Amino acid sequence: MLKKNKINIQLLKKMCYSLIKIRKFEEKIIERYPDQKICCPVHLCIGQEAIAVGVCENLKKNDYLFSTHRNHGHLIAKGADIKLMFAELYGKITGCSSGKGGSMHMIFPENGILGTSAIVAGGIPMAVGSALASKIKNEKRVSVTFFGDGAVDEGTFYESLNFAALKRLPVVFVCENNFYATNSPQKARQANCDIYKIAKFFNIPGICVKGNDLFAVYRVAKESVNRARNGSGPSLIEARTYRWRSHVGPETDIEKGLRDKKEVEEWQALCPYSCFRQAILKNKLLKETDIIEIEQLVTNEIEEALEFALKSPYPVADDLYKDVY
Ligand SMILES: Cc1ncc(C[n+]2csc(CCOP(=O)(O)OP(=O)(O)O)c2C)c(N)n1
Ligand SMILES: [Mg+2]
């Protein structure tokens, strides 16, 4: 499957870099959260990183991206500046939302990220709206919306699929199915757990992919993004994955007694980074020293970004009503 001549080594290094960056960014949050200086809630995506990277590597800088409360991976994969993300987590004036949004409300317009929302399914109709604008203006920009299995419980998901299919809009709907919405299992909520099959009703492609397999996600996303860009309309990708940490906060659900240890361990054995690393080493696509170099680069960037955030000032009282509508 992984033939060296068919793989672009630069792309491979970039994917490796993004995968490591998301993991280390969130591991740093886990390390620092007990200091109680990050005061906003954090929804960590560790275990799910390959979906963000596999999809975003197919996007251009000005393509639109809409995300959720679990947004760190999507933003990093789309090129957001982690200095501004850390500063935002710490509530500093230098943060991407001037310290007023916190983890769930980040914005990077220059990267096509018009704002993330904690309203479950809230990003889906916004992606459709941006795709409609793009089509009317003939801009050839693709809109991607990431959302969880919980968003499929919302009516706006179906309305948005319908409208996007009807108008053949350039949208890629990416459902990160981690089988839980907070602590509620998918099976206890949905009559049909094959989310990708919903696409059939709207006459658009629905694809199910192993969300922890970066290469598989990349291939599937490439087809959907190309399709959207060339005017053939939307598609729905269901990427199956698993969240390692609690719904919110740096802890795990095992220590809280909320999840079966065996289930967690089975998914941890499918770690998206370990699987990717093993595959590229086994197929001699990158050398171990290349990977160590990337890891070191990311470690340095994380330290620099954290230092920037810690040294930045808090907003002053006069800033309170700025940027508020
Ligand atoms: C409209 C709405 N309903 C309920 C909530 C509370 N809530 C926050 S996250 C969440 C679960 C989301 O699950 P899912 O979409 O599967 O995403 P995951 O957390 O698994 O990534 C809920 C119910 C909310 N934020 N918005
Ligand atoms: Mg979920």
Side-chain angles (χ1 to χ4, degrees), residues 48 69-70 118-120 148-151 154 178 180-182 243 247:
Q48 308 189 176
H69 52 288
R70 205 172 301 288
I119 306 295
V120 171
D149 48 290
E154 299 284 346
N178 60 15
Y180 290 90
T182 52
R243 129 174 94 68
H247 168 69

Side-chain angles (χ1 to χ4, degrees), residues 301-320:
E301 284 185 20
I302 298 274
E303 287 309 322
E304 264 175 46
L306 181 67
E307 204 181 315
F308 169 82
L310 293 173
K311 283 188 175 157
S312 291
Y314 287 106
V316 293
D318 280 354
D319 293 333
L320 191 61

